[in-house]
Amino acid sequence: MQKFLQTRAVPVMVPMPADGPYSYAVPEGTAVEPGSIVRVPLGPRLVAGVVWDGEGGAVDPKKLRPIDHVFDCPVVPEEMRRFVDWVASYTLTPPGLVARMILRAPEAFDPEPWIEGLRKTANEPDRMTEARAKVLALADGGLTWTRSGLAHAAGVSSTVVEGLRAQGVLATEMIPPRPVVARPDPGFGKNLLSPDQRQAAAELCETVGNGGFAVTLIDGVTGSGKTEVYFEAVASAISAGKQVLILLPEIALTQAFLERFHDRFGARPAEWHSDLPPRMRERVWRQVAEGQVRVVAGARSALFLPFPELGLIVVDEEHDPAFKQEDRVFYNARDMVVVRARIGDFPVVLASATPSIETRVNADQGRYRRIVLPSRFANAALPDIRAIDLRRSAPARGSFLSPVLLEAIGSTIARGEQALLFLNRRGYAPLTLCRVCGHRFQCPSCSAWLVEHRFRGQLLCHHCGHHEARPEACPECGTFDHLVACGPGIERVAEETVALFPDARVIVLSSDMLGGVKRLRLELDAIAKGEADIVIGTQLVAKGHNFPNMTLVGVVDADLGLANGDPRAAERTFQLLSQVTGRAGRTGKKSIGLLQTFQPEHPVVRALVSGDAETFYQREIAERERGGLPPFGRLASIIVSAGTRGEAEEHARQLRRAAPQAADIAVLGPAEAPLALVAGRHRFRLLVHGERRSDMQGFLRAMLNAGPKPRRTVRVQVDVDPQSFL
DNA sequence: AGCACGCCGACT
DNA sequence: GTCGGCGTGCTC
C-alpha cells in the first residue's frame, strides 16, 4: 500500500466509453510517456490503451492497478491525441471510443518479426545439378532471399533450396520486414498537363510549399483531370519529406486509382479500408507509425492512422456521403480532415466535380480557396444531356424505357459503342401487392416495403436486411397468382432490355451481385475490353471506373431520390446524376445523356441539361438560408432512437421542450429523416440550428443536460453535420 | 464497448 | 433439476 501511494499514476485512455482517461500505476523501472501504447487490466480483461496527457485523475488508491506492459511501438503523436480530444468533444462522444479508432490493429503494437532469409556462402555443393545451378546463379548476386522467393524466382521446388541450405551452401540470415509498398518517387512519371491543369497545379503546389493550414477546393467537371492536379500537390508534399493521406469513398478506392498513382509515382500508395486482410492491416498501421509508408490511400478510417509526419490530406469526391460515419462515433471524415490539418498546421485539398453545398459556401465566403477546372481534359467532351419528358414520351404499357431512349440505345449499339442504363434501385420491383385484396408486403421489423429480388426468389428489406421467400399466394386473402410487382428495379430493366435487344451483350452491375468484389472486377474489365454492349447498373457505376467506349448514359428514373424528405435530396440527386452521366464521352466521341423524368422543369434536371451548375448551387444555398430547411453550416442533429416509435417520439418531444430556443429546432420524423428506420430501431432526428455560428456545441450540450436522461432503450446521440468550427 | 452477474422459460 | 435468454451495472 505504502509503495503504491508513492508510485506514479498516469492517465490512460482505454477503448471504452468512459468520460476521460483512467489512472494506472506505473510499475517500478517502467518508463512511459504521453502517447505510449500500453496494455492495462480493465475489469476482467487486458486491453490496449494510450497514455494520455496531464496528471492522472484522482482515484481511490485501492482501485489503482498497474500497467501490465508497455509495447515497443512508436508513440501516438501529440497531434493525434489532441485530435482525438477534439473529435470527442465536438461529436459529444466519450473520448475512449474515439481513441479506440486509432487502436484498431492490435497485433501492430509489437514490432514486426524479422524474416528468415538465405544467403550464399563460400561453400560449394557436393554435386551440381541444373536446378541447383539456377538457384546459385540468382544467389550469386550477394542478395539475401526468402526461401520461397528464391525457389520461385529460380523456377525450382523449395526442396532444392532446402538441400543447398542443409549442405551449408546457403546460410540463414535474418532480414528486416519488407515495406508494404515502395517509396513513391515524386519525379517518376510526370503527366502532361493541360494549361488549366498546369495553372491549378501551380497554385496548389504553392499552397503546399508554403506549408501551414489552408483548405483548397478543386472544383472541376467530371473528367477534367482533378486527380492529376492534386497528384502534383502530393508530389510536392513528398518532396518536402511529409507523409500524405488521400481519402476516398470506399467504393472509389479501386484498382484503377492505385494504378494511376503507380504510373505517376512509380509505386503504389498503401491501402487502408475495411476489406484489408488483418495481417496487411497490421503491417500498414505499423509502417505508417514508423514513417516508412509515405502515402496512404484510404477510406475514412484512415484518418485515425498514427502518422508522425503528416503534411497533406487530399479528400477526393469531397461531397460523398460515405465520408459520414453514422454509428458509434458520428463524424464526417471530410470535416474532421480539416480539423486534423488545423491541428497539424498543414494544407488540405478537397476535390469534387459536384462539391457539397457547405463546402461551396465555405469557398464563397473565403474560408476555403477555390480552384475551378472548367473543361474536360484533352479531346474528351462533356456529354450532351437532354431530358425525356415521360408525360409526352411514355414507355409502352408494362415497360420502363421510353421510345426515345430505346431508339438511342439501338443506334448506339449499332455503331458498336456502349450504352449505360442507370437506375438506383436494386432488385426487381420495389413494391409487391395483391391485386385481389390490396395487401402490400411490408417488413415486419421496420415497416418499409419489401423489395422483390426475382433472381433470388426472395422479398427483401433494404433497411434491415430482413428477407423471406416470395410466396405464391397472398398471405392476407390466400388468392394464388394475383401478386403484382409495382415499379422497376434494375433486374426488371435488365429483363426488358434483354427482351428488346436480344442480340446485345448485357451486363448487370449491382452491389448485391453474386460473386462479390472479384466478380465485379471481372465484369468491369470485360466492359473496358468492349465485351458488353449494354451495361445496366445501380449507384456503383457512378464511381471511378472509366468506360472508354461509353457514349450513351440513360437515367431510367431521374426523379428517384428527389421526393424523399431529406433536406439534401436535390443536392444528392444532382451529384449522383452528374457523376453517372459523366461516365460517357471519355474519348472524344460524341456522347449523350438522357434523363427520363416527369419533372423536366425541376431545378436538378434543368441544371444537368443546361450544364449550368452555378445557378443550381446559388439556388440551393439561398433555399437553405431562407429557412424552412435548416441553414447549412450551423446544422446539427440530435438523434433519438428507441425500440418503438412512441418512445423515440416522446423523448424527442421532451428534449425539444427542454431547449431554451425552441423556435430553432425542427423535429423530423421517421418519414423525413434520412435514416429514420434502421435495423428495427426507430429514430428521430432533431435538427438544431442557431443564428450565430458560434458555439453550436454549447447549445447541444445545454439541451442534452436540460433534457431528460435517456431511460430504458432510448438512446441519444449527436451528429454534427457541416462545420461550425472554422 | 465487453463482460459478469442475475433472475425467469424449455430441455438433457 | 440445469441451459440460456438478455436487462443492469461496472470497469482506474
Side-chain angles (χ1 to χ4, degrees):
Chain A
M1 180 59 64
Q2 196 62 24
K3 190 179 162 197
F4 256 43
L5 286 174
Q6 287 169 2
T7 318
R8 201 158 57 97
V10 291
V12 175
M13 201 66 92
V14 285
M16 60 120 198
D19 286 336
Y22 280 178
S23 293
Y24 283 87
V26 184
E28 207 72 43
T30 305
V32 293
E33 58 178 309
S36 296
I37 300 184
V38 292
R39 189 166 60 216
V40 290
L42 184 68
R45 63 212 162 102
L46 289 167
V47 298
V50 183
V51 177
W52 222 245
D53 306 79
E55 292 300 308
V59 223
D60 181 354
K62 284 197 288 290
K63 280 184 152 185
L64 201 63
R65 297 168 80 184
I67 288 172
D68 177 71
H69 176 68
V70 183
F71 288 101
D72 178 9
C73 179
V75 295
V76 173
E78 207 245 328
E79 286 177 9
M80 207 57 208
R81 303 196 302 273
R82 283 177 56 204
F83 179 57
V84 167
D85 283 335
W86 197 95
V87 173
S89 134
Y90 187 73
T91 60
L92 300 189
T93 309
L97 281 191
V98 182
R100 201 174 76 111
M101 296 196 290
I102 56 177
L103 299 172
R104 282 258 172 90
E107 302 302 313
F109 309 149
D110 288 315
E112 272 187 80
W114 284 47
I115 319 162
E116 200 171 283
L118 292 169
R119 193 185 169 88
K120 193 171 178 303
T121 65
N123 301 338
E124 293 295 323
D126 53 1
R127 161 169 79 70
M128 189 59 85
T129 65
E130 201 178 315
R132 286 180 171 185
K134 279 194 243 167
V135 171
L136 291 177
L138 286 168
D140 252 341
L143 290 170
T144 306
W145 294 74
T146 62
R147 183 189 319 202
S148 59
L150 184 52
H152 194 258
V156 303
S157 141
S158 63
T159 53
V160 178
V161 177
E162 183 51 34
L164 288 167
R165 194 195 62 79
Q167 287 188 17
V169 181
L170 296 173
T172 314
E173 187 184 84
M174 296 310 279
I175 50 177
R178 275 168 302 146
V180 284
V181 284
R183 293 228 158 197
D185 170 7
F188 182 79
K190 290 203 168 179
N191 292 304
L192 271 178
L193 301 180
S194 70
D196 280 350
Q197 284 178 309
R198 247 201 320 277
Q199 162 90 24
E203 280 184 51
L204 211 51
C205 290
E206 195 198 324
T207 307
V208 173
N210 290 340
F213 172 68
V215 183
T216 307
L217 165 66
I218 307 183
D219 180 354
V221 296
T222 56
S224 59
K226 293 181 289 296
T227 313
E228 286 75 22
V229 172
Y230 73 65
F231 274 178
E232 294 314 302
V234 172
S236 3
I238 298 172
S239 303
K242 297 296 187 181
Q243 287 175 297
V244 177
L245 170 61
I246 303 174
L247 281 193
L248 297 147
E250 189 127 359
I251 195 168
L253 198 54
T254 56
Q255 224 49 31
F257 177 84
L258 301 172
E259 273 155 29
R260 268 171 94 179
F261 188 94
H262 184 276
D263 291 344
R264 173 63 185 79
F265 295 101
R268 291 184 159 224
E271 288 173 65
W272 184 266
H273 51 79
S274 57
D275 285 337
L276 214 58
R279 195 78 203 89
M280 188 48 113
R281 204 178 175 75
E282 287 143 17
R283 297 178 64 205
V284 171
W285 193 96
R286 181 85 193 188
Q287 294 184 16
V288 167
E290 287 171 344
Q292 263 211 76
V293 163
R294 304 313 293 174
V295 182
V296 174
R300 59 173 188 251
S301 61
L303 183 54
F304 292 90
L305 286 168
F307 294 95
E309 298 169 318
L310 193 56
L312 172 67
I313 305 181
V314 177
V315 184
D316 203 350
E317 310 290 2
E318 163 280 323
H319 63 279
D320 199 290
F323 287 121
K324 275 185 88 168
Q325 173 150 80
E326 301 230 31
D327 60 70
R328 295 182 182 92
V329 184
F330 284 53
Y331 68 97
N332 186 324
R334 181 248 291 144
D335 296 345
M336 295 309 106
V337 157
V338 176
V339 176
R340 177 72 184 79
R342 201 191 53 194
I343 291 174
D345 197 31
F346 59 76
V348 167
V349 174
L350 306 177
S352 177
T354 52
S356 59
I357 300 289
E358 62 273 16
T359 293
R360 263 304 305 272
V361 174
N362 276 322
D364 290 353
Q365 295 182 351
R367 285 189 290 267
Y368 296 170
R369 174 175 194 184
R370 179 173 176 222
I371 296 176
V372 180
L373 290 171
S375 56
R376 279 202 158 177
F377 183 62
N379 57 349
L382 281 168
D384 176 17
I385 297 178
R386 275 173 262 155
I388 299 176
D389 187 343
L390 288 173
R391 293 164 307 185
R392 288 155 194 253
S393 173
R397 227 181 124 69
S399 161
F400 298 94
L401 304 176
S402 69
V404 180
L405 182 53
L406 291 175
E407 157 79 36
I409 297 170
S411 57
T412 301
I413 62 178
R415 284 194 305 272
E417 296 164 358
Q418 292 173 314
L420 172 67
L421 295 180
F422 171 77
L423 176 63
N424 198 13
R425 203 188 257 148
R426 288 149 49 213
Y428 187 83
L431 169 67
T432 308
L433 56 80
C434 170
R435 215 179 311 175
V436 176
C437 72
H439 172 77
R440 292 158 173 228
F441 285 85
Q442 234 175 357
C443 174
S445 45
C446 46
S447 64
W449 302 136
L450 290 177
V451 180
E452 180 183 351
H453 284 240
R454 189 163 284 191
F455 188 68
R456 291 205 252 174
Q458 285 191 317
L459 299 175
L460 230 346
C461 172
H462 285 181
H463 281 287
C464 67
H466 164 89
H467 56 97
E468 52 192 67
R470 186 186 121 93
E472 300 288 313
C474 171
E476 194 76 26
C477 65
T479 317
F480 276 84
D481 296 331
H482 280 273
L483 298 178
V484 32
C486 298
I490 181 176
E491 288 181 15
R492 199 171 193 177
V493 171
E495 181 184 88
E496 184 180 342
T497 308
V498 170
L500 291 170
F501 301 96
D503 298 329
R505 298 161 300 173
V506 175
I507 286 184
V508 178
L509 298 177
S510 105
S511 58
D512 57 349
M513 208 167 65
L514 274 73
V517 186
K518 224 171 142 190
R519 158 103 182 275
L520 177 65
R521 199 166 291 166
L522 289 174
E523 300 280 35
L524 288 168
D525 283 348
I527 296 165
K529 280 190 223 134
E531 289 164 16
D533 303 307
I534 304 175
V535 180
I536 302 172
T538 58
Q539 248 198 86
L540 97 190
V541 300
K543 297 269 158 63
H545 321 293
N546 260 333
F547 303 126
N549 199 29
M550 195 72 71
T551 57
L552 169 66
V553 173
V555 175
V556 176
D557 184 356
D559 303 333
L560 187 66
L562 285 176
N564 67 32
D566 185 347
R568 291 183 185 272
E571 179 191 350
R572 289 268 153 83
T573 305
F574 173 73
Q575 289 162 343
L576 184 60
L577 296 187
S578 298
Q579 293 211 338
V580 171
T581 52
R583 294 302 107 201
R586 298 280 178 143
T587 45
K589 282 182 195 152
K590 185 172 145 35
S591 67
I592 56 172
L594 295 174
L595 314 173
Q596 295 198 142
T597 175
F598 284 101
Q599 310 170 65
E601 294 307 313
H602 192 287
V604 168
V605 177
R606 284 221 307 259
L608 290 161
V609 169
S610 65
D612 176 12
E614 202 48 40
T615 304
F616 173 73
Y617 272 96
Q618 292 315 324
R619 200 195 124 96
E620 274 296 295
I621 292 165
E623 184 88 357
R624 293 207 202 171
E625 288 186 336
R626 190 142 42 83
L629 291 178
F632 107 92
R634 290 157 248 167
L635 169 64
S637 65
I638 295 181
I639 294 162
V640 181
S641 66
T644 71
R645 185 191 160 116
E647 282 166 346
E649 219 164 326
E650 176 55 24
H651 198 79
R653 246 199 311 277
Q654 290 179 35
L655 279 174
R656 186 193 196 183
R657 248 203 311 273
Q661 299 141 274
D664 287 332
I665 301 169
V667 177
L668 300 186
E672 301 96 339
L675 281 174
L677 301 158
V678 177
R681 282 222 116 88
H682 293 251
R683 285 176 161 222
F684 263 80
R685 210 168 248 239
L686 311 192
L687 292 173
V688 182
H689 58 95
E691 285 309 306
R692 283 169 301 164
R693 94 183 138 81
S694 65
D695 220 0
M696 197 70 235
Q697 205 52 26
F699 181 68
L700 290 174
R701 230 187 262 281
M703 179 164 171
L704 282 172
N705 288 337
K709 292 285 160 278
R711 294 187 316 271
R712 277 172 309 173
T713 56
V714 178
R715 295 164 65 91
V716 178
Q717 279 176 304
V718 178
D719 164 30
V720 186
D721 196 10
Q723 56 277 69
S724 55
F725 47 74
L726 285 172

